[in-house]
Amino acid sequence: MRVPKSLSIGIRVPFVRTPALPALGPGSMSSLLGVALGAAFWILALLTCAAVLAFLFIAFVPMGPLDLIATSEDGGTSVPVPRAYFLFGVGAFAGYFAGFALILRHLRRIVHSLRIGDPFQPANVSRLKQIGLTLATVTGGAWIGQTLVSRLVRGALEPPSLFDLVTPAFSVLVVFVLAEVFREGARLRRESELTI
């Protein structure tokens, strides 16, 4: 083991090489990614449950008028907000969180197949397609929701443009291309198994 020169305070520190994490299998980078995806999934699942409970509370529990206070330099102004607007907002958050929780659920299963060393399963092709469809639905729903809200508040919020859909549409396209790559990988794997 190579020892570097002494530090200025007189402590000798040995030089230690850390091994790189392997890409596949137990104890790999995919295992670490699986843990991160699992934590994100459960956070989004809890947020979805909280949003659904808030939606049910607003929908079924009788409440008085709901007010928002808009502050300005002159002070605060109370603006009455219809209950339907709150229901729409909380429902939109619940759908948004649920959509991304579903995407993370499929990603966790894909990473699990990667961890066991078998990523080109036919099930992963359908998982990638479901990720693409969910991403398209969540993105389209968020865009439509922003458009509706901007029309309801009349000028207080800029409506989204079609240009805002370019990056999400490209992401959806990439996911569908990856699904086709996985389909071809699964086909080649089946052929090689039949050859052997």
Side-chain angles (χ1 to χ4, degrees), residues 74-184:
D74 301 334
T77 304
S78 179
V79 179
V81 178
R83 190 180 199 165
Y85 288 9
F86 275 105
L87 281 173
F88 173 77
V90 173
F93 276 116
Y96 196 75
F97 293 146
F100 280 108
L102 182 62
I103 288 172
L104 287 176
R105 180 174 172 255
H106 290 308
L107 281 175
R108 286 177 69 200
R109 291 184 175 173
I110 291 171
V111 168
H112 176 72
S113 69
L114 184 65
R115 194 167 54 232
I116 62 175
D118 189 18
F120 293 110
Q121 299 175 0
N124 282 346
V125 176
S126 63
R127 287 178 187 137
L128 281 169
K129 286 186 176 183
Q130 289 173 7
I131 288 172
L133 289 173
T134 306
L135 187 59
T137 303
V138 167
T139 302
W143 189 85
I144 291 170
Q146 287 175 350
T147 303
L148 290 174
V149 168
S150 69
R151 303 228 179 204
L152 291 173
V153 296
R154 294 186 183 94
L157 182 69
E158 286 287 321
S161 68
L162 286 175
F163 185 73
D164 294 335
L165 290 176
V166 171
T167 302
F170 183 74
S171 301
V172 170
L173 183 65
V174 167
V175 170
F176 280 113
V177 168
L178 281 175
E180 292 306 311
V181 169
F182 270 69
R183 180 193 305 279
E184 184 64 18

Side-chain angles (χ1 to χ4, degrees), residues 4-13:
K5 293 181 179 179
S6 297
L7 299 174
S8 60
I9 56 173
I11 299 174
R12 297 179 73 91
V13 179

